[in-house]
Every structure is written in structure tokens, then in C-alpha cells.
């Protein structure tokens, strides 16, 4: 009986409650830690330029748009329209940063010299590294001061179009 009362007296000491409070705070801190996204993967993509039908640029800045088309095998094509001042001898490329299900796309533009082939109206890119999931995408064009944000479900047949905001 004496041993039992000694053991039960431990639960009434201030030290016991301090230790229990510290353990409870540690559990709350562990539970509230943000989810780890893992490493950021960088993909550099070269675009295939498409000539303007008139041979000249037909719209000014602020008329850009992006279109995502999902094909079989989780192949996604991205079409960037509304290029201004890019000749067919120029280039448009993308830096695609994937962190979990968050994607940041930055376009990089080289205007090029005047070309007898005319001006470029659009650039097309192939993204072949996405899984069939929902992705939060942010597209940024520093050259044209345009951007957009959208959610894309990578599933065959999905088409998503978004105007770029100037």
C-alpha cells in the first residue's frame, strides 16, 4: 500500500505536469509541420515556333494566352500565343520548375533577326514528365510582363485555355 501511494504521489508533483506539457507541445509542433514537397526539378524546354499567317505580328502586348492539351500517355502540349516582336529566326524556351504538384513556368525569349519567313505568332512545347494528377500551375513571362495561374488535371482529353494578364 505504501508503494502504491508513493507511485501515485508522482502524478501530483509540478515536475510531472511540466514534463507532460513539454511532451504535448512537441506532439502539437510535429503535427503542425508543413508537408515536405521534396526537391524541385527543373526542366528546360525548347519551343517550336509557328509563323503568323499574315507574316507580321497582329496583336500587341496583353493579348497572350496559353493552352494546355493532354494527350494519351500523359503527354501535355502547351501552346503559347500572342508573341510580339519574335521573328521565325528567334527562339522561345521554357524553364519549368516542378515541386510536388506545384509548377512554375517561366518563358525565355530571343527575338532573333529579321527573317524572310516572317514573324512568329505562337510557340508549342511538349511536357512529357507529368503524372496523371492535379497540378497548380503559375505561368510567368517577364519579357512581355504577362502571367496566369490555373489548375490542370492531367487526364487524356483535357483542354485548358487561359488568357495571360498584363
Amino acid at each position: 500500500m505504501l508503494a502504491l501511494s508513493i507511485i501515485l504521489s508522482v502524478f501530483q508533483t509540478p515536475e510531472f505536469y511540466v514534463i507532460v506539457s513539454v511532451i504535448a507541445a512537441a506532439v502539437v509542433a510535429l503535427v503542425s509541420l508543413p508537408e515536405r514537397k521534396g526537391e524541385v526539378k527543373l526542366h528546360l524546354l525548347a519551343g517550336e515556333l509557328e509563323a503568323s499567317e499574315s507574316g507580321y505580328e497582329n496583336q500587341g502586348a496583353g493579348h497572350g494566352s496559353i493552352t494546355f492539351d493532354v494527350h494519351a500517355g500523359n503527354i501535355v502540349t502547351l501552346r503559347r500565343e500572342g508573341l510580339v516582336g519574335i521573328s521565325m529566326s528567334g527562339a522561345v524556351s521554357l524553364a519549368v520548375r516542378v515541386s510536388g504538384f506545384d509548377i512554375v513556368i517561366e518563358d525565355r525569349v530571343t527575338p532573333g533577326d529579321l527573317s524572310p519567313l516572317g514573324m512568329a505568332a505562337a510557340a508549342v512545347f511538349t511536357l512529357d514528365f507529368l503524372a496523371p494528377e492535379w497540378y497548380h500551375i503559375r505561368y510567368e513571362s517577364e519579357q512581355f510582363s504577362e502571367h496566369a495561374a490555373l489548375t490542370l488535371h492531367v487526364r487524356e482529353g483535357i483542354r485548358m485555355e487561359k488568357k495571360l494578364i498584363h
Side-chain angles (χ1 to χ4, degrees):
M1 187 74 150
L2 184 60
L4 183 59
S5 69
I6 292 174
I7 292 174
L8 291 177
S9 70
V10 170
F11 295 117
Q12 296 177 3
T13 62
E15 291 83 3
F16 172 75
Y17 288 106
V18 169
I19 292 171
V20 169
S21 298
V22 169
I23 291 172
V27 169
V28 169
L30 282 174
V31 169
S32 60
L33 280 175
E35 212 177 288
R36 292 190 182 13
K37 292 183 180 182
E39 66 182 81
V40 175
K41 295 181 182 172
L42 174 64
H43 301 273
L44 301 174
L45 306 175
E48 183 177 321
L49 294 177
E50 294 183 356
S52 170
E53 290 182 16
S54 66
Y56 300 99
E57 53 195 276
N58 52 8
Q59 294 180 338
H63 290 88
S65 67
I66 52 175
T67 304
F68 292 90
D69 286 306
V70 184
H71 307 283
N74 302 326
I75 304 297
V76 177
T77 56
L78 166 58
R79 180 180 175 84
R80 164 61 158 109
E81 296 187 27
L83 299 175
V84 178
I86 311 299
S87 74
M88 288 301 291
S89 66
V92 179
S93 60
L94 297 179
V96 182
R97 289 180 176 79
V98 181
S99 176
F101 299 113
D102 295 327
I103 299 175
V104 177
I105 301 173
E106 297 175 0
D107 66 15
R108 299 174 179 176
V109 177
T110 304
D113 297 327
L114 289 177
S115 170
L117 299 174
M119 302 302 283
V124 179
F125 306 89
T126 302
L127 291 74
D128 58 358
F129 46 83
L130 300 177
E133 294 288 345
W134 288 88
Y135 290 93
H136 305 284
I137 299 174
R138 190 173 78 222
Y139 186 96
E140 298 174 351
S141 176
E142 187 176 323
Q143 175 84 15
F144 300 111
S145 299
E146 297 176 322
H147 64 277
L150 61 114
T151 300
L152 175 68
H153 186 193
V154 177
R155 191 180 75 203
E156 184 177 352
I158 298 286
R159 180 184 182 96
M160 181 69 94
E161 185 171 346
K162 187 81 172 183
K163 295 290 271 178
L164 295 172
I165 299 170
H166 190 64

